Short mmCIF file of all heavy atoms in Angstrom, two decimals:
data_model
loop_
_atom_site.label_atom_id
_atom_site.label_comp_id
_atom_site.label_asym_id
_atom_site.label_seq_id
_atom_site.Cartn_x
_atom_site.Cartn_y
_atom_site.Cartn_z
N SER A 144 50.85 7.23 39.16
CA SER A 144 49.58 6.86 39.81
C SER A 144 49.54 7.35 41.24
O SER A 144 48.48 7.74 41.74
CB SER A 144 49.39 5.34 39.77
OG SER A 144 50.39 4.68 40.53
N ARG A 145 50.68 7.36 41.93
CA ARG A 145 50.70 7.88 43.30
C ARG A 145 50.30 9.34 43.32
O ARG A 145 49.53 9.77 44.18
CB ARG A 145 52.11 7.72 43.89
CG ARG A 145 52.23 8.22 45.32
CD ARG A 145 53.67 8.17 45.81
NE ARG A 145 54.51 9.13 45.12
CZ ARG A 145 55.78 9.36 45.43
NH1 ARG A 145 56.37 8.66 46.38
NH2 ARG A 145 56.48 10.26 44.75
N ALA A 146 50.83 10.11 42.36
CA ALA A 146 50.48 11.52 42.29
C ALA A 146 48.99 11.73 42.04
O ALA A 146 48.38 12.67 42.55
CB ALA A 146 51.30 12.21 41.20
N MET A 147 48.38 10.83 41.27
CA MET A 147 46.95 10.95 40.98
C MET A 147 46.09 10.49 42.16
O MET A 147 45.15 11.18 42.57
CB MET A 147 46.59 10.13 39.73
CG MET A 147 47.11 10.72 38.44
SD MET A 147 46.52 9.83 36.96
CE MET A 147 47.75 8.52 36.86
N LEU A 148 46.41 9.33 42.71
CA LEU A 148 45.55 8.73 43.73
C LEU A 148 45.63 9.46 45.06
O LEU A 148 44.75 9.29 45.91
CB LEU A 148 45.92 7.25 43.92
CG LEU A 148 45.71 6.38 42.68
CD1 LEU A 148 46.18 4.96 42.95
CD2 LEU A 148 44.25 6.38 42.26
N ALA A 149 46.67 10.27 45.28
CA ALA A 149 46.78 11.02 46.52
C ALA A 149 45.89 12.26 46.54
O ALA A 149 45.77 12.92 47.56
CB ALA A 149 48.24 11.43 46.76
N THR A 150 45.27 12.56 45.40
CA THR A 150 44.43 13.74 45.29
C THR A 150 42.96 13.34 45.12
O THR A 150 42.60 12.17 45.23
CB THR A 150 44.86 14.59 44.09
OG1 THR A 150 44.60 13.86 42.88
CG2 THR A 150 46.35 14.91 44.16
N VAL A 151 42.15 14.34 44.81
CA VAL A 151 40.72 14.10 44.58
C VAL A 151 40.50 13.12 43.43
O VAL A 151 39.48 12.44 43.38
CB VAL A 151 40.00 15.44 44.30
CG1 VAL A 151 38.54 15.23 43.95
CG2 VAL A 151 40.13 16.37 45.50
N THR A 152 41.47 13.03 42.54
CA THR A 152 41.36 12.08 41.42
C THR A 152 41.11 10.67 41.91
O THR A 152 40.42 9.88 41.26
CB THR A 152 42.63 12.14 40.56
OG1 THR A 152 42.82 13.48 40.09
CG2 THR A 152 42.54 11.20 39.37
N GLY A 153 41.69 10.33 43.06
CA GLY A 153 41.51 8.99 43.63
C GLY A 153 40.09 8.69 44.07
O GLY A 153 39.76 7.54 44.38
N ASN A 154 39.23 9.70 44.11
CA ASN A 154 37.83 9.48 44.50
C ASN A 154 36.97 8.99 43.34
O ASN A 154 35.83 8.59 43.54
CB ASN A 154 37.22 10.77 45.05
CG ASN A 154 37.88 11.23 46.33
OD1 ASN A 154 38.49 10.44 47.04
ND2 ASN A 154 37.78 12.52 46.63
N GLU A 155 37.50 9.05 42.12
CA GLU A 155 36.71 8.66 40.95
C GLU A 155 36.90 7.18 40.66
O GLU A 155 37.99 6.75 40.25
CB GLU A 155 37.11 9.51 39.75
CG GLU A 155 36.87 11.00 39.98
CD GLU A 155 36.40 11.70 38.72
OE1 GLU A 155 36.05 11.01 37.75
OE2 GLU A 155 36.38 12.95 38.74
N ALA A 156 35.85 6.41 40.86
CA ALA A 156 35.95 4.96 40.78
C ALA A 156 36.36 4.47 39.40
O ALA A 156 37.12 3.51 39.27
CB ALA A 156 34.62 4.32 41.18
N ARG A 157 35.88 5.11 38.35
CA ARG A 157 36.24 4.68 36.99
C ARG A 157 37.74 4.84 36.76
O ARG A 157 38.39 3.99 36.14
CB ARG A 157 35.47 5.49 35.95
CG ARG A 157 34.07 4.97 35.66
CD ARG A 157 33.32 5.92 34.74
NE ARG A 157 34.09 6.26 33.54
CZ ARG A 157 34.14 5.50 32.43
NH1 ARG A 157 33.48 4.36 32.39
NH2 ARG A 157 34.84 5.89 31.40
N ILE A 158 38.31 5.92 37.26
CA ILE A 158 39.73 6.17 37.07
C ILE A 158 40.55 5.17 37.87
O ILE A 158 41.51 4.57 37.36
CB ILE A 158 40.09 7.62 37.46
CG1 ILE A 158 39.45 8.59 36.48
CG2 ILE A 158 41.61 7.81 37.49
CD1 ILE A 158 39.70 10.06 36.80
N THR A 159 40.21 4.97 39.14
CA THR A 159 40.99 4.04 39.96
C THR A 159 40.88 2.61 39.44
O THR A 159 41.86 1.85 39.48
CB THR A 159 40.54 4.09 41.42
OG1 THR A 159 39.12 3.83 41.50
CG2 THR A 159 40.80 5.47 42.02
N ALA A 160 39.71 2.23 38.94
CA ALA A 160 39.55 0.88 38.37
C ALA A 160 40.43 0.72 37.14
O ALA A 160 41.06 -0.32 36.93
CB ALA A 160 38.09 0.63 38.02
N PHE A 161 40.49 1.75 36.30
CA PHE A 161 41.34 1.68 35.11
C PHE A 161 42.80 1.60 35.51
O PHE A 161 43.57 0.79 34.97
CB PHE A 161 41.11 2.91 34.22
CG PHE A 161 41.98 2.92 33.00
CD1 PHE A 161 41.60 2.27 31.85
CD2 PHE A 161 43.22 3.58 33.03
CE1 PHE A 161 42.42 2.27 30.72
CE2 PHE A 161 44.04 3.58 31.91
CZ PHE A 161 43.64 2.92 30.76
N LEU A 162 43.22 2.43 36.46
CA LEU A 162 44.64 2.47 36.85
C LEU A 162 45.12 1.14 37.39
O LEU A 162 46.30 0.79 37.23
CB LEU A 162 44.87 3.58 37.88
CG LEU A 162 44.68 5.02 37.41
CD1 LEU A 162 44.96 5.99 38.55
CD2 LEU A 162 45.56 5.33 36.21
N ALA A 163 44.24 0.39 38.04
CA ALA A 163 44.66 -0.89 38.62
C ALA A 163 45.19 -1.85 37.55
O ALA A 163 46.18 -2.56 37.77
CB ALA A 163 43.49 -1.53 39.37
N THR A 164 44.55 -1.86 36.38
CA THR A 164 45.02 -2.71 35.29
C THR A 164 46.10 -2.02 34.47
O THR A 164 47.07 -2.66 34.02
CB THR A 164 43.84 -3.09 34.37
OG1 THR A 164 42.86 -3.80 35.13
CG2 THR A 164 44.30 -3.96 33.21
N TRP A 165 45.97 -0.72 34.30
CA TRP A 165 46.96 0.06 33.55
C TRP A 165 48.35 -0.06 34.16
O TRP A 165 49.36 -0.17 33.43
CB TRP A 165 46.51 1.52 33.51
CG TRP A 165 47.51 2.49 32.98
CD1 TRP A 165 47.82 2.74 31.68
CD2 TRP A 165 48.32 3.39 33.76
NE1 TRP A 165 48.78 3.73 31.60
CE2 TRP A 165 49.10 4.14 32.85
CE3 TRP A 165 48.45 3.62 35.12
CZ2 TRP A 165 50.00 5.12 33.28
CZ3 TRP A 165 49.35 4.59 35.55
CH2 TRP A 165 50.12 5.32 34.63
N LEU A 166 48.45 -0.08 35.47
CA LEU A 166 49.74 -0.22 36.14
C LEU A 166 50.42 -1.52 35.75
O LEU A 166 51.64 -1.57 35.54
CB LEU A 166 49.56 -0.16 37.66
CG LEU A 166 49.46 1.24 38.28
CD1 LEU A 166 49.01 1.14 39.74
CD2 LEU A 166 50.79 1.96 38.20
N VAL A 167 49.64 -2.58 35.67
CA VAL A 167 50.20 -3.88 35.28
C VAL A 167 50.64 -3.84 33.83
O VAL A 167 51.71 -4.37 33.46
CB VAL A 167 49.18 -5.01 35.53
CG1 VAL A 167 49.77 -6.37 35.17
CG2 VAL A 167 48.72 -5.01 36.98
N ASP A 168 49.84 -3.24 32.97
CA ASP A 168 50.21 -3.10 31.56
C ASP A 168 51.55 -2.38 31.42
O ASP A 168 52.45 -2.84 30.70
CB ASP A 168 49.14 -2.31 30.80
CG ASP A 168 48.03 -3.19 30.26
OD1 ASP A 168 48.25 -4.40 30.12
OD2 ASP A 168 46.95 -2.68 29.97
N ARG A 169 51.67 -1.25 32.10
CA ARG A 169 52.89 -0.46 31.98
C ARG A 169 54.09 -1.24 32.55
O ARG A 169 55.22 -1.13 32.05
CB ARG A 169 52.72 0.87 32.70
CG ARG A 169 51.89 1.89 31.94
CD ARG A 169 52.68 2.63 30.88
NE ARG A 169 53.63 3.52 31.46
CZ ARG A 169 53.45 4.86 31.54
NH1 ARG A 169 52.35 5.42 31.05
NH2 ARG A 169 54.37 5.62 32.08
N PHE A 170 53.87 -2.01 33.60
CA PHE A 170 54.96 -2.81 34.18
C PHE A 170 55.52 -3.79 33.15
O PHE A 170 56.73 -3.89 32.96
CB PHE A 170 54.50 -3.56 35.42
CG PHE A 170 55.52 -4.53 35.95
CD1 PHE A 170 56.57 -4.10 36.72
CD2 PHE A 170 55.43 -5.89 35.66
CE1 PHE A 170 57.54 -4.99 37.19
CE2 PHE A 170 56.38 -6.79 36.12
CZ PHE A 170 57.43 -6.34 36.89
#
Side-chain angles (χ1 to χ4, degrees):
S144 64
R145 181 185 68 175
M147 289 186 275
L148 297 177
T150 66
V151 176
T152 302
N154 296 337
E155 299 217 11
R157 276 174 52 83
I158 293 178
T159 56
F161 178 86
L162 293 181
T164 300
W165 170 79
L166 278 169
V167 182
D168 272 339
R169 283 278 290 258
F170 172 80

